[in-house]
Amino acid sequence: MGSSWQTKMAAPLVKTVRGWSDLALGVRSTVLRLPGLIQVRWSRYGPEYRDPQVDKEYYRKPLAELTEEQKFERELRKTQLIKAAPAMKTSSVFEDPLISKFTNMMMKGGNKVLARSLMTKTLEAVKRKQFEKYHAASSEEQATIERNPYTIFHQALKNCEPVIGLVPILKGGHFYQVPVPLSDRRRRFLAMKWMITECREKKHRRMLMPEKLSRELLEAFHNQGPVIKRKHDMHKMAEANRALAHYRWW
Amino acid sequence: MAAPCVSCCALLSYRLFFRGKVNLAPRQVLWKAAAAELPTVSGSQISRLRHTTVLTTKKNVAALRRETYTVDFIKKQIDEFNIGKRHLANMMGEDPETFTQEDIDRAIAYLFPSGLFEKRARPIMKHPEQIFPKQKAIQWGEDGRPFHFLFYTGKQSYYSLMHDAYGKLLNLEKHKNELQAKGLFSEEAKTKDLIGSRWLIKEELEEMLVEKLSDQDYEQFIRLLERLLTLQCGAAEEEFLQSFRRSVTIQSKKQLIEPVRYDKQGMAFSTSEGKRKSAKAEAVVYEHGSGRIKVNGIDYLLYFPVTQDREQLMFPFHFLDRLGKHDVTCTVSGGGRSAQAGAIRLAVARALCSFVTEEEVEWMRQAGLLTADPRIRERKKPGQEGARRKFTWKKR
């Protein structure tokens, strides 16, 4: 009952034509609003709206440095409608898209304040631990110790990314785990997801999230720890199921 | 069977009527109707009348077959429209010679005020060309043979257009080959204004050809035109291509820039409003200052304890490299913490437009600072627990 209501709800909304308002070059946008298909997920922006470009340096570049394509793109953007910048995005230099994504994934129940404070405490904890190690180490080792928490975070998550994944495919009434190449986005997502799940479940009851997460990040940075082990398990399973690789049709 | 006389059934004659299909009253009488003709784009010049005898039943016959209007009928409508326009101008006390369509609309809205919500149900008076749909003339002669050689494709105007365009393409390529053989061909860089215009969309093409097209037909046509663009064209081909282009507005021109005002001490300032969800904000940005922001009389550091909100306030200034150079006083009400911050951000960005160059205004627009965020809370639907969450599924 619910689903039919939703599709009926969608139909009159689709008919509110946003107008033949200035479409840019290209035919693709007309295909999105075919009258035969009823869209169930819709957004308040029309299909002609483009994502905003928040980076300051993009605009400050002098015209002489741009290629023909970039100049054309610049001119084209002047005719396009742009969406509003979301509340999390600023032009600040301190903003990192990966950190923002990770914070959102850590967030529970819409409590962004808490998630963000946990994230900053984690980075602080990582930095403190690294500085302690730095001061305790000899001068040759000091050169090898990385103290920037952002590089540690990025490198740790990159180390956790699996190369190949498993997908359950239904064939002959049974589900087989078939090895499948993963896209970049999926890999990043899996790395972050495993990290968060690991930190939530496998910790001592009284230990706080920043403490546990900083520990896991440092271990992953050195290619050790439970998240890396999970990645290797995934690779081994994929290797074991190699024979099923031909079940993939895409 | 051509017959000279036209006998139309009693159609309502109107100078002024309600938009929509013309409803013929159902009759139980045998009546002769004449098929309608109008000249088409692809030029079957001669329009013929064709008599059909239709037996009406209790059903609404008009709904069963498409409405067809004769040329004489349309001509009569146009004459009546013009006369009616002059009468209306006299009624309103204006000059009949210079009475435009906007004047007509205003006059009708004045004389026939309507409270109907559906705009299409309100009284209108427009030129008959806009009211009666364009129709095709009869495409075959007395002997039944069609005039156009592509008649049996079903979409003769479209295919003849494709045929012409491809013919032009082949001619251009032949010309290019000849020049290359002689060694006279030179690659010139094309500097055409492709940005300020767009190809016409499928609906516009359908309107032009008076034929229904499919998406694939339209895409194929656009691809052909793009190919023509890449070649060097003469003046005739340029004109041909331009007839399929429509202009596109430059979005930044639509941005309203507030004028700068001066207060009692002679300080320059600018005021603007901003909205986000249900929060409304009004910001006063002073041109010279030291980066102080006061929200509802409270310092912004105390009003917004969360870093994210303060980052949002800082965003427009940081983007324009004017961080410590302006003072802001704003009032905000409604919404939540994040919505208020977003509303103030929009108000501040709009106010800053008055102190900044046009280019920077365009940059702000492209960064999404000048667009009001249209997202609102999605309503809860019946049969579901929330906007998207469904009730727990129970097997029995």
Side-chain angles (χ1 to χ4, degrees):
Chain A
M1 200 248 284
S3 60
S4 65
W5 196 96
Q6 216 170 28
T7 47
K8 273 185 222 151
M9 169 82 164
L13 279 172
V14 166
K15 274 189 199 125
T16 58
V17 177
R18 310 243 187 231
W20 302 346
S21 63
D22 320 308
L23 292 176
L25 302 177
V27 176
R28 291 151 293 156
S29 35
T30 45
V31 181
L32 287 170
R33 293 261 154 149
L34 284 173
L37 299 174
I38 300 173
Q39 287 175 286
V40 183
R41 299 267 148 151
W42 60 86
S43 89
R44 296 281 298 179
Y45 295 109
E48 59 271 4
Y49 277 82
R50 302 280 160 255
D51 287 318
Q53 170 67 267
V54 175
D55 179 30
K56 253 204 303 192
E57 301 312 313
Y58 175 84
Y59 300 106
R60 299 283 192 267
K61 257 201 267 178
L63 268 175
E65 279 179 23
L66 302 173
T67 63
E68 278 296 321
E69 264 193 33
Q70 283 174 326
K71 277 192 202 154
F72 180 78
E73 216 196 285
R74 290 281 183 103
E75 288 296 317
L76 187 60
R77 290 211 101 209
K78 286 192 191 163
T79 59
Q80 288 169 332
L81 289 163
I82 311 276
K83 296 186 194 179
M88 295 166 303
K89 276 195 113 175
T90 56
S91 55
S92 164
V93 290
F94 300 114
E95 204 186 274
D96 189 14
L98 196 63
I99 300 262
S100 312
K101 187 63 93 176
F102 195 83
T103 321
N104 285 342
M105 286 181 71
M106 261 208 308
M107 173 167 61
K108 271 192 184 178
N111 197 345
K112 183 65 137 304
V113 176
L114 182 62
R116 190 157 166 172
S117 70
L118 288 176
M119 195 71 226
T120 39
K121 282 181 191 158
T122 309
L123 293 172
E124 191 196 331
V126 163
K127 194 166 182 178
R128 275 185 199 278
K129 286 183 190 166
Q130 289 299 89
F131 265 87
E132 273 175 20
K133 242 196 274 180
Y134 183 82
H135 290 308
S138 61
S139 37
E140 301 91 29
E141 286 172 30
Q142 276 182 352
T144 56
I145 291 177
E146 176 64 55
R147 286 172 291 165
N148 186 351
Y150 290 93
T151 39
I152 292 178
F153 183 80
H154 285 247
Q155 189 56 47
L157 283 185
K158 210 189 289 195
N159 291 346
C160 291
E161 280 178 18
V163 169
I164 193 165
L166 292 170
V167 158
I169 290 186
L170 180 63
K171 194 150 171 124
H174 295 278
F175 281 97
Y176 296 103
Q177 295 290 328
V178 174
V180 129
L182 299 172
S183 65
D184 275 334
R185 198 193 292 180
R186 178 80 184 149
R187 269 186 260 162
R188 281 193 291 263
F189 171 77
L190 280 176
M192 291 195 276
K193 181 92 177 173
W194 289 343
M195 182 67 77
I196 293 172
T197 337
E198 169 66 40
C199 293
R200 277 183 187 161
E201 288 166 12
K202 308 267 177 49
K203 65 176 169 73
H204 189 66
R205 197 171 61 90
R206 296 298 258 177
M207 193 191 289
L208 295 171
M209 183 68 157
E211 164 73 40
K212 173 74 178 170
L213 186 53
S214 55
R215 197 182 293 182
E216 292 304 329
L217 281 172
L218 285 168
E219 286 189 356
F221 179 69
H222 295 295
N223 270 317
Q224 294 156 1
V227 193
I228 300 287
K229 182 171 169 304
R230 188 165 171 181
K231 175 183 92 155
H232 288 320
D233 286 342
M234 171 81 115
H235 286 173
K236 278 181 213 157
M237 281 262 294
E239 183 61 39
N241 285 11
R242 251 175 84 141
L244 304 172
H246 66 281
Y247 281 177
R248 184 170 64 96
W249 63 84
W250 61 89
Chain B
M1 252 73 64
C5 58
V6 177
S7 56
C8 293
C9 61
L11 291 164
L12 308 161
S13 77
Y14 16 66
R15 201 158 293 160
L16 164 73
F17 68 101
F18 296 90
R19 194 168 183 178
K21 292 274 181 194
V22 176
N23 275 324
L24 300 168
R27 296 199 189 171
Q28 284 209 337
V29 171
L30 210 71
W31 51 277
K32 289 191 196 285
E37 291 90 46
L38 278 176
T40 52
V41 175
S42 55
S44 1
Q45 298 298 323
I46 315 159
S47 52
R48 310 270 166 157
L49 295 172
R50 204 181 86 202
H51 272 290
T52 51
T53 322
V54 179
L55 176 67
T56 58
T57 55
K58 275 209 178 112
K59 288 186 281 184
N60 187 357
V61 181
L64 290 179
R65 64 180 180 86
R66 276 195 31 212
E67 304 291 341
T68 44
Y69 310 106
T70 55
V71 178
D72 298 334
F73 172 74
I74 297 287
K75 226 182 274 180
K76 203 170 76 155
Q77 291 303 312
I78 293 176
D79 293 333
E80 282 182 357
F81 173 77
N82 288 326
I83 294 171
K85 201 169 87 168
R86 297 184 75 91
H87 277 305
L88 193 60
N90 281 329
M91 265 194 266
M92 300 300 288
E94 308 225 4
D95 181 20
E97 305 297 329
T98 57
F99 206 56
T100 58
Q101 187 58 47
E102 285 92 30
D103 296 327
I104 296 178
D105 294 333
R106 254 183 289 127
I108 296 297
Y110 171 72
L111 291 170
F112 300 91
S114 162
L116 295 173
F117 287 123
E118 177 65 61
K119 295 274 164 60
R120 287 178 291 181
R122 292 185 182 180
I124 53 158
M125 181 167 164
K126 293 220 188 284
H127 193 85
E129 296 269 282
Q130 292 171 18
I131 310 260
F132 295 98
K134 275 203 220 169
Q135 283 163 340
K136 287 188 142 184
I138 294 297
Q139 311 290 338
W140 50 87
E142 289 177 20
D143 50 354
R145 288 187 75 199
F147 299 126
H148 202 279
F149 72 106
L150 288 173
F151 172 78
Y152 288 111
T153 59
K155 298 182 222 176
Q156 61 180 47
S157 339
Y158 168 73
Y159 282 110
S160 75
L161 186 64
M162 289 286 279
H163 181 71
D164 293 335
Y166 193 62
K168 288 189 164 67
L169 187 76
L170 289 176
N171 282 338
L172 285 174
E173 285 186 348
K174 199 170 97 175
H175 184 65
K176 181 175 150 188
N177 289 336
E178 282 169 8
L179 285 180
Q180 269 179 337
K182 289 186 199 161
L184 296 170
F185 181 71
S186 54
E187 290 279 352
E188 287 156 22
K190 286 236 159 126
T191 48
K192 271 203 234 163
D193 178 30
L194 291 174
I195 302 285
S197 55
R198 58 166 175 88
W199 290 122
L200 79 175
I201 55 173
K202 186 174 151 228
E203 280 81 11
E204 288 171 351
L205 188 62
E206 277 183 350
E207 210 185 0
M208 210 162 116
L209 299 175
V210 199
E211 257 173 13
K212 280 235 165 295
L213 300 176
S214 76
D215 289 326
Q216 290 83 12
D217 292 335
Y218 170 72
E219 280 173 27
Q220 191 71 9
F221 179 62
I222 295 294
R223 258 180 247 141
L224 196 57
L225 290 179
E226 296 269 342
R227 260 183 83 185
L228 264 176
L229 258 187
T230 55
L231 298 173
Q232 283 181 0
C233 312
E237 281 84 15
E238 288 286 350
E239 221 183 281
F240 176 73
L241 283 174
Q242 283 304 322
S243 65
F244 297 109
R245 293 217 51 118
R246 302 281 176 270
S247 68
V248 169
T249 54
I250 304 286
Q251 289 298 334
S252 60
K253 304 276 184 335
K254 286 194 197 162
Q255 181 65 29
L256 187 70
I257 300 180
E258 281 283 326
V260 181
R261 287 165 32 195
Y262 295 89
D263 69 357
K264 282 170 268 191
Q265 277 86 29
M267 292 266 284
F269 71 94
S270 159
T271 321
S272 252
E273 287 171 351
K275 275 203 287 199
R276 172 85 215 271
K277 283 196 205 172
S278 55
K280 288 188 180 45
E282 198 192 313
V284 175
V285 176
Y286 293 91
E287 195 175 0
H288 303 287
S290 58
R292 275 191 297 265
I293 305 181
K294 282 227 159 220
V295 185
N296 286 351
I298 308 170
D299 191 46
Y300 73 109
L301 194 56
L302 302 170
Y303 194 84
F304 291 120
V306 180
T307 324
Q308 183 183 306
D309 301 334
R310 275 176 276 138
E311 277 174 4
Q312 288 296 295
L313 291 192
M314 164 205 90
F315 186 7
F317 296 112
H318 178 72
F319 186 77
L320 297 169
D321 289 329
R322 284 162 178 251
L323 260 177
K325 298 188 189 154
H326 295 275
D327 265 347
V328 179
T329 314
C330 47
T331 49
V332 67
S333 64
R337 148 207 125 221
S338 179
Q340 285 188 343
I344 299 177
R345 182 186 93 182
L346 182 61
V348 159
R350 279 184 183 158
L352 275 177
C353 285
S354 2
F355 299 121
V356 134
T357 60
E358 267 193 38
E359 203 192 3
E360 290 184 304
V361 170
E362 176 59 24
W363 292 350
M364 278 215 282
R365 188 192 73 87
Q366 287 191 17
L369 279 168
L370 297 175
T371 325
D373 204 326
R375 299 178 291 173
I376 51 169
R377 199 184 124 253
E378 202 175 314
R379 69 160 278 193
K380 174 198 169 322
K381 284 116 196 168
Q384 293 177 5
E385 196 172 318
R388 299 278 167 114
R389 173 162 164 74
K390 321 284 186 281
F391 288 123
T392 316
W393 181 78
K394 294 205 180 75
K395 200 163 177 179
R396 41 188 79 82

